[in-house]
Amino acid sequence: MIRYPVTRAALTAAVDRHAPTWSRRAKRRQTLITKAGAYGEKKSIWSEIKPALTDFQKNKCGYCERKLEAPEYGAIEWDIEHFRPKSAVAPLPDPLQYPHIALNGPGGGGGSGYYWLAYDVENYLGACKICNTIMKGTLFPVAGTRCVAPGTPAQLAGERAYLCHPLNPSDADPQDLITFDGVLAIPAHASGFDRARADLIISLFRLNDREELVNERARQIVLFGGYFEKHHRGDRSPRIAEILNFADNPGIPHASCVRAHARMWADDPGRAREIWALCEKMTFSL
Ligand SMILES: [Zn+2]
């Protein structure tokens, strides 16, 4: 995961640009839903604003960092994901796989949904169908007390959500929670809540168990490996600087993994070279 911090004002402006009447219609719908105290629409309208989110997210899934098709054809590959589920929240299906989570915590399991956020643009992010439909569904584990009625931003923050919202400037930077050892996502912290968040995100989205996802990361490391090597050997030419700068671009697929690998070339070039060789093997033995 990588961060794309966006303010509510910027998000709303982008939505208005792509779908000028959406905000007004969404507000009307939200008023009815909030009055009813539950989400029960037969047909929604949030798909209309996909392009606003895909722009901010550089056409990448907010959770797994896969690059999806450009907006012209890509909308079909995307879901607008409700970070906080609009309907009932499902309990974790297999809590034992999350050893660092306080399972007895009041909000760890399921609960009622966040119906009052169904049309809140700050509750949206673009996600691939694998991450949204298969992996996350209506899961939303929290370590604190779950809000069951319209809450203030402070009350929502007090829920201590395990998942991380990549567009929310107030949430943690995902790269401070999760880093990479080669192609494998690993927690950036050894213990504490940040460790628990990383464990849950890695497990819930199966970031290390999806073959094509891991292979894509390997291909990214292969793509830049030769340039990292040249830089390590002292090549300071403008071309190498330009390419390494590109490797740090948040718009490339799996930028978080590539950045971690770049840091490894600085800290432990021997291991970085080993990983590069391993990734080459993975890439050319498909
Ligand atoms: Zn995804």
Side-chain angles (χ1 to χ4, degrees):
M1 286 179 78
I2 194 170
R3 195 183 215 187
Y4 318 92
V6 188
T7 62
R8 177 183 281 277
L11 205 46
T12 306
V15 166
D16 290 347
R17 218 166 35 245
H18 285 284
T21 63
W22 188 87
S23 293
R24 183 171 43 79
R25 288 181 287 128
K27 194 176 175 189
R28 208 160 49 217
R29 284 171 176 250
Q30 188 60 66
T31 303
L32 293 173
I33 296 164
T34 306
K35 204 169 160 193
Y39 180 77
E41 287 189 312
K42 286 198 172 66
K43 197 169 175 355
S44 63
I45 59 167
W46 47 74
S47 290
E48 295 175 25
I49 61 164
K50 276 183 194 180
L53 289 158
T54 55
D55 279 359
F56 286 118
Q57 294 178 210
K58 329 266 184 216
N59 298 321
K60 294 197 293 179
C61 171
Y63 292 126
C64 73
E65 272 211 88
R66 286 195 302 139
K67 194 91 166 176
L68 302 172
E69 182 56 84
E72 188 183 2
Y73 301 109
I76 196 78
E77 291 192 285
W78 288 84
D79 279 336
I80 293 257
E81 137 79 345
H82 285 74
F83 183 64
R84 285 180 163 83
K86 59 195 176 298
S87 304
V89 181
L92 284 172
D94 182 12
L96 292 178
Q97 68 176 302
Y98 308 111
H100 292 89
I101 286 187
L103 291 174
N104 296 327
S112 60
Y114 301 80
Y115 58 89
W116 67 95
L117 300 177
Y119 282 100
D120 186 330
V121 288
E122 284 190 307
N123 191 40
Y124 294 161
L125 68 143
C128 73
K129 290 189 181 295
I130 311 296
C131 284
N132 182 38
T133 309
I134 300 178
M135 305 302 175
K136 180 168 177 283
T138 57
L139 296 173
F140 193 72
V142 296
T145 304
R146 190 184 297 286
C147 285
V148 293
T152 63
Q155 283 170 323
L156 288 174
E159 287 189 313
R160 304 185 79 218
Y162 282 107
L163 298 180
C164 182
H165 194 316
L167 296 172
N168 182 352
S170 307
D171 204 340
D173 184 334
Q175 288 182 110
D176 291 339
L177 301 177
I178 296 171
T179 185
F180 287 83
D181 182 20
V183 293
L184 295 179
I186 56 169
H189 298 271
S191 60
F193 185 53
D194 285 348
R195 166 66 192 264
R197 295 187 84 184
D199 275 343
L200 187 129
I201 292 166
I202 293 166
S203 299
L204 195 148
F205 293 104
R206 298 183 203 168
L207 295 182
N208 292 332
D209 303 324
R210 291 158 61 183
E211 191 181 344
E212 186 49 27
L213 191 59
V214 174
N215 286 338
E216 277 187 18
R217 290 187 208 128
R219 290 198 285 273
Q220 285 296 86
I221 288 174
V222 171
L223 179 67
F224 292 108
Y227 303 107
F228 286 133
E229 165 86 349
K230 281 185 179 175
H231 182 262
H232 173 67
R233 290 186 180 280
D235 187 335
R236 297 294 181 265
S237 64
R239 183 64 182 147
I240 294 295
E242 193 180 7
I243 290 167
L244 295 197
N245 193 40
F246 183 75
D248 192 47
N249 186 322
I252 65 170
H254 312 293
S256 181
C257 172
V258 174
R259 287 174 176 182
H261 190 62
R263 290 194 295 275
M264 189 181 279
W265 272 98
D267 300 339
D268 188 351
R271 179 155 171 72
R273 200 174 283 114
E274 272 172 31
I275 283 170
W276 175 30
L278 256 168
C279 288
E280 269 198 341
K281 218 170 176 179
M282 282 172 72
T283 298
F284 297 118
S285 62
L286 291 175

